[in-house]
Amino acid sequence: MHNTLVNLDHFTCKLQNYSPKPENRENQQPKKMAPPLFSFLLLFQTIATATPLRPGFYSETCPQAEFIVRDVMYKAMIREPRSVASVMRFQFHDCFVNGCDASLLLDDTPTMLGEKLSLSNIDSLRSYEVVDEVKEALEKACPGTVSCADIIIMASRDAVALSGGPKWEVKLGRKDSLTASQADSDNVMPSPRANASYLIELFDKFNLSVKDLVALSGSHSIGHGRCFSIMFRLYNQSGTGKPDPTLEPRYREKLDKLCPLGGDENVTGDLDATPQLFDNQYFKDLVSGRGFLNSDQTLFTFPQTREYVRLFSRDQRQFFKAFVEGMIKMGDLQSGRPGEVRNNCRVVNHRPIDILLESLA
């Protein structure tokens, strides 16, 4: 899946053939004069034309952009170390749902259920306020220039680098979506119960390989997970009424104490033995049967993914290289839908296209 340019001629044709819905003339309020079609097309072109992604996209319009993002991320990490791991996960949760367009960041409205309360995000994703801080700093330096979608990409990279992991050059130039969909997120994002076979199939739909899947799962090298996500592993794996047999016994005892049956399922545990350091310990833990999530441990029990787990557990450089490649590929996912540069990452600037079209009636 690659960057897609929106076909403006197609949308112009839609405009020319647009038929408004029949009007209810009872108690009708006086209409505001519709803007000239040419003016509307100019507005539409500014938000519908996609720009190819490239490194250094803001080198002239906001040359300090990447420094500002890293600086805010560093301060957030000092304030709360867990926050950077949370922000790093935004790229996966955003890009897999209609491309990397910051739809994840939109708050719900009376007419739109966004992605924040989707099954994979509710009570799981956090630290949205860090992105708000980044956006506020960028708006002061370069108003209306840097998209929220690009902030997610830069902040995810910086979260890894600030935690001891690799640093890489990111491609920028994304636009922010005009809407979001809880249903789209629910239909795409995997649950903590997912097995490797399902994950391989899912990643393949996005042109991401088995190697990409295993490497990107290494994002769980930092951060924490909730007891809610592993209760079934501890007490009722696959409906057996028994714990997951792949859990190393002493690790299972540790998790039993952390997450007792009937206890607080919002308690969190370390995703690997070094939760604040981005390294290959995550893969070493999987080899020893100490993966926190079922979707993690299944990468070692499944033959197609096992050898990559072994490789990355032995060679951190190979893991870092594969992780960077996977993050860049994932960052290329684009929907081709019209977009904008939001002033506030939580709300759109412009009304949705269908409402703009309706205003011409």
Side-chain angles (χ1 to χ4, degrees), residues 76-89 123-127 130 159 163 222-226 266-269 275-276:
M77 183 182 71
I78 297 300
R79 185 172 65 240
E80 184 191 6
R82 185 183 172 193
S83 65
V84 294
S86 301
V87 172
M88 179 188 63
R89 309 215 200 295
D123 296 326
S124 177
L125 292 186
R126 56 194 296 280
S127 299
V130 175
S163 302
I222 56 175
H224 302 78
R226 293 189 303 148
N266 286 317
V267 169
T268 60
Q276 293 184 24

Side-chain angles (χ1 to χ4, degrees), residues 323-338:
F323 182 82
V324 169
E325 291 171 355
M327 289 291 276
I328 292 172
K329 289 170 68 174
M330 182 165 58
D332 284 341
L333 298 177
Q334 301 291 303
S335 70
R337 295 177 178 182

